[in-house]
Amino acid sequence: MVLDALCEELELDREQFAQFASLFIEVALADLATIKEAFGRGDLGGVAEAAHSIKGAAASLKLEGIFSLAKTLETHARAGEAEAIPDILGWLGREIHRLKAFLEEQGLAETRVSAG
């Protein structure tokens, strides 16, 4: 199972991974809200900063898909390429919600994680 391999690579048991992943989801959803607000103000620096936060946390948990999307979002924001941001932001949000759904399916969801 992919989850077991990931846990082994991170040297965590399933419950420890679930705790870290749940915290990641909570913070990443807040960062997504920050990105949306910053983008609405035309603050691409704020978009890049929040995307960088998601990217670093995703790297720590070896969440490659989320890491890649956050990196792409950060790169476009730093380059001033605002037209690419809405699509990437949508994809990133869906991936974070997929992780949340996966944890729930595995019976590993933490109750403190918001519905987002």
Side-chain angles (χ1 to χ4, degrees):
M1 168 179 263
V2 174
L3 179 58
D4 292 332
L6 180 58
C7 288
E8 185 175 328
E9 185 175 348
L10 293 170
E11 298 180 1
L12 300 171
D13 64 32
R14 291 169 63 94
E15 289 75 24
Q16 289 170 322
F17 176 80
Q19 289 175 342
F20 285 118
S22 293
L23 179 60
F24 167 80
I25 292 165
E26 183 178 309
V27 173
L29 291 174
D31 285 338
L32 284 175
T34 298
I35 291 169
K36 290 175 186 175
E37 291 170 9
F39 184 70
R41 293 189 312 270
D43 177 9
L44 296 184
V47 171
E49 185 177 313
H52 181 81
S53 174
I54 294 171
K55 180 183 78 172
S60 296
L61 290 175
K62 305 219 182 276
L63 302 171
E64 298 298 329
I66 294 172
F67 169 84
S68 178
L69 286 167
K71 180 179 178 181
T72 300
L73 181 60
E74 179 185 10
T75 299
H76 283 287
R78 291 200 191 282
E81 298 168 349
E83 66 281 352
I85 291 172
D87 286 340
I88 301 166
L89 181 57
W91 299 326
L92 181 57
R94 282 189 290 280
E95 284 301 306
I96 292 167
H97 283 283
R98 281 185 52 205
L99 174 61
K100 183 177 183 290
F102 174 77
L103 291 177
E104 290 169 351
E105 290 169 6
Q106 297 297 310
L108 297 173
E110 294 285 307
T111 57
R112 65 183 187 85
V113 175
S114 65

